[in-house]
Each structure stands twice: as structure tokens, then as C-alpha cells.
Amino acid sequence: MKTIASFTLFLLLSLNQIKAQAIISGIVLDSDDLPLIGATIHFQGTAQYMITDGNGGFSIQAPSGFPISIQVNFVGFKEYILELHALPANPLAIKLENDTDLAEVLITARRRTEEVQKVPIPISVVGGARIADAGAFNVNRIKELVPTVQLYSSNPRNTTLNIRGLGATFGLTNDGIDPGVGFYVDGVYYARPAATTLDFVDIEQVEVLRGPQGTLFGKNTTAGAFNITTKIPEFTPSGKVELSYGNLGFIQAKASLTGPLSKSLAGRLSFSGTQRNGTIEHVTTGKQLNDMNNLGFRGQLLYNPSSKLEIILAADANFQRPDGYAQVPAGVVKTQSPDFRQFEAIVNDLNYRLPSTNAFDRKIDHDTPWKANNELGGISGTMDYELGNGTLTTTTAWRYWNWDPSNDRDFTGLPVQTLSQAPSRHRQFSQEIRYAGDFSDRLSGVAGIYYLSQNLETSPFHSEESGSAAWRFLQNNQDPLWQTPGLLEGYGIRTTSMLESSSAAVFGQIDWSISETISVLPGFRFNYDKKDVEYRRVTYGGLITEDPALLALKDRVYSPQDFQVDASEQNFSGQLTIAYRPSEKISTYATASTSYKPIGVNLGGLPSENGEPMTALATVKPEYVTHFELGFKTVPVKGATLNVSAFRTSIEDYQTLVQTPEPGVNRGYLSNAEEVRVMGFELDGNVRLSSHLSLTMAAAYTDGIYQSFTNAPVPLEEVGGEFTYKDISGERLPGISKWAGSLGAEFTTPAKFFAQKSTYFFAFDSYFRSEYSSSPSPSAYLNIPGYGLVNARTGFRSESGLSAFLWTRNLLNKNYYEQLLPASGSTGLYAAVLGDPVTYGITLRYEF
């Protein structure tokens, strides 16, 4: 807290050092003189826009040259156009009229500023004000507002971000595979999934694009993209400080300061810090685990020497230091292994009992500490130059990721697997150059080139080590040699690996207006990917012996591996969209597209056969994606929107993760399923019932199956049976709920708060999903029951100065799983990643 307080004081003092420049500022109000939060302010004919803040205010640099036209939009209100012939002497007060035609937020998903209802892509947009008020400070909480998003995280490295159930392998992550969902912040691609667990810092809005987007974005995205924009520096001095306090020792502080540094230079400095006690009790130490300990910083410089040129330099650094992410024993399955291989028989022989098999007791006794030290940051430079009727953009970025974990993968208090650590170091460099704009009255589009290089290496090595109880869990026959004292105690493997990868692409998309109502949008992409791997694994420790029989037992547990991979792939993909807009209130589109996910490489160890690694499994084929989509965007009544889309996606050579009982392949290995298919429909909408009440809703039906997977691993309950592989063709994909949805509402009314003119509000967000499988091969025991969550908040927003509100998350204190994972060795034990219990608190916000 001293760090947070010092930083806040620094911001307040620094504000006095800032001098204002020529800007246009003001407030947007409804007919009752209440501020409109999330209205869009756009200078027509430029790419400049912003979103009104929590008080309905805005402040944006005036472009050079008058006259200029300001366009103001907000759903449920008439579009407002104001023409200015000179810089206003005072802040503007813009009042919008109720209950008229469609008005919308603006997006930049197609690399130019557009109204979301006119873009022929299924997009969900969540504004920064709603993100802040709803406590959705990371992607895991955004998914409660956008039900087509799935995020599963057993720790930051082992994070799966999917859209419509596709994007990444489900379960423990293998570093040799590319994500299928692009994660972009201010145009910079974040290659590591750990980025999705970090706190947002000073977010303007989040755009979630569904379906392949490889013709719009630099890095190929086979399932969709998160396009996140942060608040940019402004030439009006302003700042915000926010403090939140809650149960479980929750403390969160956010602060942001912006203003001019010279006539053409502005800066912004932002900070976010989150702390919270753990939610799981370690019965031996009494310590609470799975706490939060996050810090994030972001700094930006905006250089704007003319109305045609804008340069933004940005740097960020993010740190997580939790005692987590511990998984809780949730149950025991009887497998098809012999009786002596069953979990209950094993622990009985070792005189051990789990502290509980009811995961919601939230008790563990693990003997290896849990930690998940996660560092991620980087620097970037973006230049926008108005050229002709468009904008030439170049974005250069360098990013880093440092990962230092400790896990207990046997999920018990016994010394079975005493080390399971994969410290890693990742560096990436990216360069994108693109042009987006209008080529003629009927032709517009975007074209670009992209390059990404990555280096991922162990830091210094990955470790797996067995303890004194390991022999009883690992013995696969009743040979008495397994009981040889010290045979496996301290026996382990150390792995060094390095992955060098590079990707280059040319991409583009054209929007050709054939008539006033019909447009054709073809797109293309050429991609080249190359991956080079050096992998070496050595054994150490255990009983020092020259007895061939004992050495053979040790080799069954861990064995050396050494291989190199040099793989490359190139491909073409593209799309064709036909858009039909018969009126201002109706837009329809149909899309057919193809896409690719690059070739994968195995970096978690390979299964062995007759003591030798199966090097043929070192690489996995690239995915080939075929996608069809039909969508309708409508304004059914004044002040409302309703959008519907239906889709079908097929993937050949689907990259999936295969678990194996071999402890040397603890994180699984990659393989290909012959074909999968995901199809469904989605709808989302909002309505402003009055100047005081607004509703938002979204719903999704998703059906995902393996069309063909004839050589899949067996589920946990079939381990040890006659077959080691199974045909699961026709079975469902993991992580997909057939039904998911969200419903939110906000009621506002004028009020007085400490003699200030304020707005009282009450709001809630609810989220539900039906049950889903938590196993790559469907299991009768590893299914997550459906659940629903309710979050609520109430308080006051002031037009200036202090705002305050109370909030609660998981109001009904619902017990729910997010994942179920089998323990190492597949003896029948499985553990759970739990959702958070009820939390509540208060937030105080001061803006100046």
C-alpha cells in the first residue's frame, strides 16, 4: 500500500506541472441532463475518436484547420453533428435526443474508424467504463460479459483462450503450438497466453471479433481476435485515482495522469495494483493459497506535430507474484488398471488420506509449494500518417515474458512428484506496415505486411523429480524390485530446450460497394512459418546402481531424450463476404473463409516405445480451417439493436493435447485429430427502455464435435484397460457449453451526493453456461456442471470529483468448477480449478 500511496501522490503533484494545449472538451448529456457514459466522439473525416468517461466527459485534441465536424453517437439517441468554425472558448455541453434512430459506438477492428452496426463481422464491444464499473479487470472476467469467449487457466502459462470453443489446446499448455485467438493491445500482438491473466491498465474498450480474421490482422487468427485499445495521451490535463476495498483482504488501486508536455507532445502514465488473500487453506501450514499480487504500469508519449502525423511510443511492465495456482483434490475414479494400481490401494499402503475429496471444502496438504511468478512487458512505437484518403500505419514492438513456477502435480501431501517446474524465457519482435483507407468512392480496404520472430527457451532448465513415495504410484507390475530403498527418491529429469520461430505474412481485404445496398469484400493472406527446436533431456539422482534390472525400472519412469526439429510451412488463405444493407436499420452478410494454424512442435517431452522416444511425434501438422457465417444486424425498434449470426467451422488436422500416464510427459504432447466441427448461432442486443433504464443481453448455442478422431487417448476411467487409444469420432470437444449467455441492466436517476450533482445507479450483470467436458477425450467423471453467476453494483457517479459505489461478485456464492484435471500418472485422482466465492466491497473514484 505504501507503493500505491506514493504513486498516487506523485500523480497529484505532477498534475500541477502540466500546461494545457488547444483541445476540445465537454460533456455529453441525455434529455434529463444526466451524463452519458460510453458515448463516442468522432471528428468526421479523421481517425480520431474517443469514448466519454465515467462522468460523460471528453477531451480530445483539435485537428488543425477549421471548419471541423464533431459526430456524437450513443445507442438509443439521435446522432449529433456539430460544425465548429473556431476553437470553442468554453467546454461544450452536448445534449442528445431520446428515442430516435440507431446510434453506435465506433470500432477500429478493420483498421479504420467505423460504426459497429455497419461492419459485416460478428463483434462484441465492451467499453472501458463498463469494464471498470463491473470489476472486469482481466480477460477471465470479460468472458462473463461476452459468452462466446472461453478462458481456462490452471496458471498463467497453462491458459487457454478460445472463441466459440476454438483457438488453443484444452488443458496443460505445450509451448510449441500457436494460439488461434489473436490477442492485440494497441495493434501489438501478444504471443504468450499468459498475457490474458494480467490486469487491464487504462482500457478504452475491448473488441471481440469472432471467426477467422487473418485478412485484417498481422498474425493469423483462426478463431477470432481480442482487439484491445488503451486510452491515449491527451492535451487536456486530467487524472483519475481509484481505490477499491473488499472482503478476503481485497485491495485494488488504479491511477492515471495525462496532459501536454509541449505544444505537440503529450504523455500518459497509468498504474494498476491488485492484492487479495487466498481462497484455499493449506491444512498443514495454515496458509491461504491462490491469492492475488499484481502490479501493472503503462506509459505513453503522443507526438502530434500536425493533423496528418501521429506517433505514439508506449512501454508497459506487469508483474504477478501469487502463491498459486493450487488445484484442489475433487474426486477419485476407478480406472481399468489392476487393483494394486488404484489410487485408494496406493494411499492405503502409504497410510495416507486426502484432507478432503470435496473440492469446495477448499483444503489441500500439498508438499511442494505453489507459485506462479509471471512477468510480461515491452515497448512499442506506432506511427499513423494520413496519406491520400487513408492512413499509413507502422507498428514496431519488442516484448518479453519471464515465467518462474512451482507446482505439485500429484495433488497430494505425499512426496510423489516433488518438483514440477518449467521456468521459461520468451522474447518477441514484431513489425507491421499497413495502409487502410478509401481508394475511391466505392472502394476501400486494408493491405499490409507482417513479421514476427520469437525465441522461447528454458531458464535455465525444466525439472521433474520424484520423491520417496513415487515408486508406489509408478509401479506398473508387482516386481519386488520397485520397493528397493531409494530407487526413485530424488530421481528426475532436467530439460533444456530452445524454440526459434519466425512468421511472415502479406494480407489484405477490399470493401467494394457494387451499389448503394450491396458490397463485396474479398480478402487474402499469404503466410510463411518456420520453427527450429533443440530439445535435450537428461536424468539425474535416484539410487546409484549398475544393476540392469534396477536401471530398467528407472528408465520406465524417466529416460533421456534428445532431438532437433526444423519445420516450415507456407500457405494461402482468404475470405469472401457479401454484405447487403437494404436500409439504415438492417445489415446482413454472408462469409466463406479459409485459414491456417501453423505447424506445431512438441516441447513437453515425447512418449517412448521400447525405451526410445517416438521422434515421429515431434511435429504436428498445421490446421486447415474452413468457415461459413451468416449474420444480421438490425434495429428492430427505436433505441434498440438486435444482432444474430449463425456459423459452421470445420478444421482438418485439429491440433490437440494428448495426456499420457508417463511422468516424463507430464504436460502431455501434441497430436492431430483428423477433423473437428463447431457450429452454432449467437444473438446479442441492447435496448434503452427509457432515459433511466437500459438492458444488454447475449446468448450463444455452440455444438462442437470430433468429426473424426480414431487414435485418441482413452479417458481417465479407461486407463490401464485393453486399449491405449480410442476412436472418439462423434464425441464432443472439451471446454464447450452448448448454451451460454449474459444479461445486464442499469438503472440511473439524478441525485445529490455530498452536495454534488450526481447520478445514482444500480446495475447487475448475470452470466450462465451449461455443462461442458473438461477432458480432451470425453470422460464420465471430468464434466463441469453448468452454473450461473450474478454480479451487482450500486452507488453514485459525479460529474466531477468523487464517485463511490458498492459492488459484489458471485452474489449468490455459487460453488463452481472451471476445470477438472487428472493427476500425474493417471491413477484415478483428479483435481479442480475452482471459481472464486462471493466477494464484495466498495470503490472510491476521484477524477480531476
Side-chain angles (χ1 to χ4, degrees):
M1 284 303 295
K2 288 183 178 179
T3 301
I4 293 171
S6 298
F7 188 79
T8 302
L9 180 60
F10 166 74
L11 291 179
L12 290 169
L13 293 175
S14 297
L15 184 64
N16 295 323
Q17 308 297 319
I18 298 175
K19 297 181 180 179
Q21 186 189 339
I23 51 85
I24 295 175
S25 62
I27 188 170
V28 179
L29 306 168
D30 65 14
S31 58
D32 295 322
D33 291 332
L34 297 176
L36 288 174
I37 302 165
T40 55
I41 312 297
H42 176 220
F43 287 122
Q44 291 185 333
T46 77
Q48 286 181 268
Y49 84 101
M50 71 168 296
I51 308 298
T52 56
D53 60 23
N55 297 318
F58 66 91
S59 178
I60 187 168
Q61 182 189 8
S64 61
F66 286 89
I68 58 175
S69 293
I70 297 178
Q71 175 185 329
V72 184
N73 295 95
F74 192 79
V75 172
F77 292 85
K78 184 177 180 180
E79 182 176 86
Y80 183 94
I81 305 292
L82 175 64
E83 186 171 295
L84 297 176
H85 294 271
L87 189 68
N90 299 307
L92 299 173
I94 298 174
K95 184 178 291 189
L96 302 187
E97 297 180 21
N98 294 332
D99 299 327
T100 52
D101 293 335
L102 174 69
E104 349 223 351
V105 297
L106 302 179
I107 62 168
T108 59
R110 295 203 301 170
R111 308 308 185 135
R112 50 194 185 273
T113 305
E114 302 173 289
E115 295 179 7
V116 66
Q117 284 294 110
K118 297 178 181 178
V119 176
I121 299 173
I123 304 176
S124 299
V125 182
V126 185
R130 187 181 181 196
I131 288 171
D133 286 353
F137 57 82
N138 57 29
V139 176
N140 199 33
R141 294 190 170 185
I142 284 286
K143 74 182 183 185
E144 298 170 10
L145 304 176
V146 184
T148 51
V149 172
Q150 299 91 33
L151 186 139
Y152 308 100
S153 183
S154 56
N155 64 40
R157 175 179 178 268
N158 294 314
T159 296
T160 299
L161 176 62
N162 284 351
I163 294 176
R164 296 171 168 173
L166 299 173
T169 57
F170 185 90
L172 298 177
T173 297
N174 192 305
D175 289 320
I177 194 171
D178 284 31
V181 174
F183 190 81
Y184 289 86
V185 179
D186 293 335
V188 177
Y189 173 71
Y190 286 21
R192 304 312 307 168
T196 62
T197 68
L198 299 173
D199 291 1
F200 292 142
V201 181
D202 223 6
I203 295 296
E204 180 79 8
Q205 69 181 27
V206 176
E207 302 164 10
V208 181
L209 289 74
R210 306 189 288 276
Q213 305 298 331
T215 62
L216 289 175
F217 288 84
K219 187 67 173 72
N220 206 15
T221 55
T222 59
F226 267 69
N227 187 36
I228 298 174
T229 54
T230 66
K231 295 182 182 295
I232 66 171
E234 300 172 10
F235 286 90
T236 299
S238 65
K240 178 171 69 174
V241 177
E242 180 178 294
L243 294 173
S244 298
Y245 300 90
N247 66 324
L248 299 176
F250 179 83
I251 301 174
Q252 186 176 73
K254 298 179 180 180
S256 181
L257 175 70
T258 187
L261 302 176
S262 71
K263 183 179 179 180
S264 56
L265 185 67
R268 178 180 286 274
L269 187 60
S270 307
F271 159 82
S272 175
T274 305
Q275 297 178 5
R276 193 201 67 187
N277 297 334
T279 59
I280 293 174
E281 178 189 358
H282 195 292
V283 297
T284 303
T285 65
K287 191 172 185 178
Q288 296 293 314
L289 300 181
N290 290 10
D291 59 351
M292 291 183 181
N293 187 1
N294 305 339
L295 285 175
F297 301 88
R298 186 174 186 83
Q300 294 172 287
L301 291 174
L302 167 62
Y303 179 56
N304 206 169
S306 72
S307 61
K308 291 184 174 292
L309 178 63
E310 177 181 280
I311 299 174
I312 296 180
L313 301 177
D316 67 281
N318 302 271
F319 309 89
Q320 289 182 323
R321 294 288 188 274
D323 289 324
Y325 295 49
Q327 285 113 61
V328 184
V332 177
V333 174
K334 182 174 174 58
T335 70
Q336 293 184 11
S337 297
D339 288 344
F340 78 91
R341 288 281 298 135
Q342 301 297 323
F343 178 80
E344 293 295 349
I346 293 171
V347 297
N348 283 340
D349 287 350
L350 297 172
N351 296 314
Y352 172 77
R353 290 290 179 271
L354 291 167
S356 175
T357 53
N358 178 3
F360 299 112
D361 288 341
R362 298 179 181 269
K363 297 181 182 295
I364 64 170
D365 65 346
H366 302 166
D367 61 315
T368 299
W370 289 85
K371 70 175 181 177
N373 294 346
N374 189 34
E375 298 179 358
L376 191 145
I379 56 176
S380 65
T382 299
M383 182 189 74
D384 288 318
Y385 180 70
E386 290 187 21
L387 183 63
N389 293 323
T391 302
L392 178 67
T393 300
T394 174
T395 301
T396 307
W398 176 86
R399 299 200 59 77
Y400 69 88
W401 174 58
N402 297 323
W403 172 239
D404 182 20
S406 176
N407 311 286
D408 193 326
R409 290 295 179 202
D410 59 77
F411 305 133
T412 73
L414 291 168
V416 182
Q417 194 170 48
T418 55
L419 287 181
S420 179
Q421 301 174 350
S424 300
R425 177 182 179 274
H426 176 264
R427 302 293 183 264
Q428 72 172 75
F429 170 81
S430 62
Q431 175 67 60
E432 181 173 352
I433 302 173
R434 68 176 182 274
Y435 182 81
D438 299 322
F439 308 121
S440 70
D441 291 341
R442 293 187 175 273
L443 195 64
S444 63
V446 59
I449 58 175
Y450 182 75
Y451 174 76
L452 172 69
S453 66
Q454 300 181 67
N455 175 276
L456 176 67
E457 58 186 13
T458 54
S459 179
F461 47 75
H462 294 179
S463 301
E464 304 284 344
E465 185 176 302
S466 57
S468 59
W471 70 272
R472 186 62 186 88
F473 281 79
L474 298 173
Q475 66 173 130
N476 55 7
N477 59 44
Q478 294 183 308
D479 187 335
L481 288 178
W482 282 103
Q483 302 181 48
T484 303
L487 177 64
L488 300 179
E489 187 170 1
Y491 182 55
I493 49 176
R494 291 187 178 129
T495 301
T496 55
S497 67
M498 182 176 68
L499 169 64
E500 294 275 0
S501 64
S502 57
S503 176
V506 179
F507 62 94
Q509 182 174 297
I510 299 298
D511 189 337
W512 176 29
S513 297
I514 297 177
S515 69
E516 295 296 323
T517 59
I518 299 177
S519 298
V520 176
L521 296 87
F524 75 95
R525 180 182 186 88
F526 171 75
N527 220 72
Y528 174 79
D529 293 279
K530 189 176 191 307
K531 294 183 177 180
D532 297 320
V533 173
E534 294 181 5
Y535 183 94
R536 185 169 184 265
R537 190 174 82 187
V538 297
T539 59
Y540 68 92
L543 181 68
I544 304 301
T545 178
E546 295 183 0
D547 186 329
L550 294 178
L551 292 174
L553 289 183
K554 293 177 68 175
D555 283 343
R556 289 185 184 181
V557 177
Y558 293 129
S559 60
Q561 288 191 8
D562 195 334
F563 62 88
Q564 291 79 39
V565 175
D566 182 357
S568 63
E569 189 78 23
Q570 62 186 31
N571 52 69
F572 286 92
S573 58
Q575 70 143 51
L576 178 63
T577 296
I578 299 175
Y580 176 55
R581 187 175 176 83
S583 73
E584 284 296 312
K585 295 185 177 182
I586 300 176
S587 296
T588 66
Y589 59 91
T591 297
S593 63
T594 60
S595 187
Y596 292 84
K597 184 190 283 190
I599 193 168
V601 292
N602 272 300
L603 284 177
L606 298 175
S608 57
E609 187 175 51
N610 299 322
E612 296 296 324
M614 301 171 68
T615 55
L617 299 176
T619 62
V620 291
K621 300 174 185 176
E623 292 182 354
Y624 176 82
V625 182
T626 304
H627 175 77
F628 300 96
E629 182 117 23
L630 180 65
F632 301 84
K633 295 188 175 185
T634 68
V635 184
V637 296
K638 291 182 178 181
T641 64
L642 180 64
N643 302 328
V644 181
S645 61
F647 65 92
R648 189 183 194 279
T649 305
S650 298
I651 303 179
E652 295 181 12
D653 293 321
Y654 175 71
Q655 296 172 347
T656 185
L657 188 71
V658 177
Q659 295 286 355
T660 173
E662 291 188 44
V665 198
N666 183 45
R667 286 179 294 281
Y669 64 94
L670 295 171
S671 185
N672 292 106
E674 293 90 351
E675 184 176 1
V676 304
R677 185 269 296 154
V678 178
M679 61 187 297
F681 64 85
E682 303 155 348
L683 62 89
D684 64 81
N686 56 65
V687 59
R688 191 170 182 86
L689 298 175
S690 71
S691 60
H692 300 289
L693 180 62
S694 60
L695 301 176
T696 60
M697 62 83 62
Y701 171 81
T702 311
D703 179 44
I705 64 170
Y706 294 101
Q707 289 277 78
S708 176
F709 195 4
T710 56
N711 203 32
V714 297
L716 179 59
E717 62 267 30
E718 296 181 28
V719 168
E722 181 180 357
F723 302 102
T724 57
Y725 295 96
K726 183 179 182 180
D727 185 349
I728 60 171
S729 302
E731 299 284 352
R732 62 176 172 170
L733 290 169
I736 299 178
S737 293
K738 282 208 168 182
W739 292 99
S742 63
L743 176 66
E746 181 172 87
F747 172 81
T748 61
T749 188
K752 288 286 186 179
F753 184 59
F754 287 104
Q756 294 186 90
K757 187 177 180 180
S758 306
T759 302
Y760 166 75
F761 71 94
F762 170 77
F764 77 88
D765 296 297
S766 60
Y767 167 75
F768 76 91
R769 64 181 303 181
S770 61
E771 64 94 28
Y772 58 95
S773 169
S774 187
S775 173
S777 291
S779 165
Y781 297 91
L782 301 182
N783 293 321
I784 307 292
Y787 62 89
L789 303 176
V790 178
N791 309 319
R793 54 199 179 274
T794 184
F796 296 86
R797 298 189 190 103
S798 300
E799 293 182 12
S800 62
L802 183 66
S803 300
F805 58 92
L806 303 171
W807 49 265
T808 181
R809 299 187 57 81
N810 191 5
L811 175 63
L812 304 180
N813 199 23
K814 174 69 176 177
N815 285 327
Y816 66 99
Y817 301 123
E818 293 194 341
Q819 273 186 276
L820 294 172
L821 303 168
S824 174
S826 300
T827 58
L829 176 66
Y830 61 92
V833 177
L834 300 181
D836 284 342
V838 60
T839 55
Y840 49 85
I842 185 172
T843 293
L844 304 175
R845 182 182 298 151
Y846 184 76
E847 298 187 53
F848 47 88

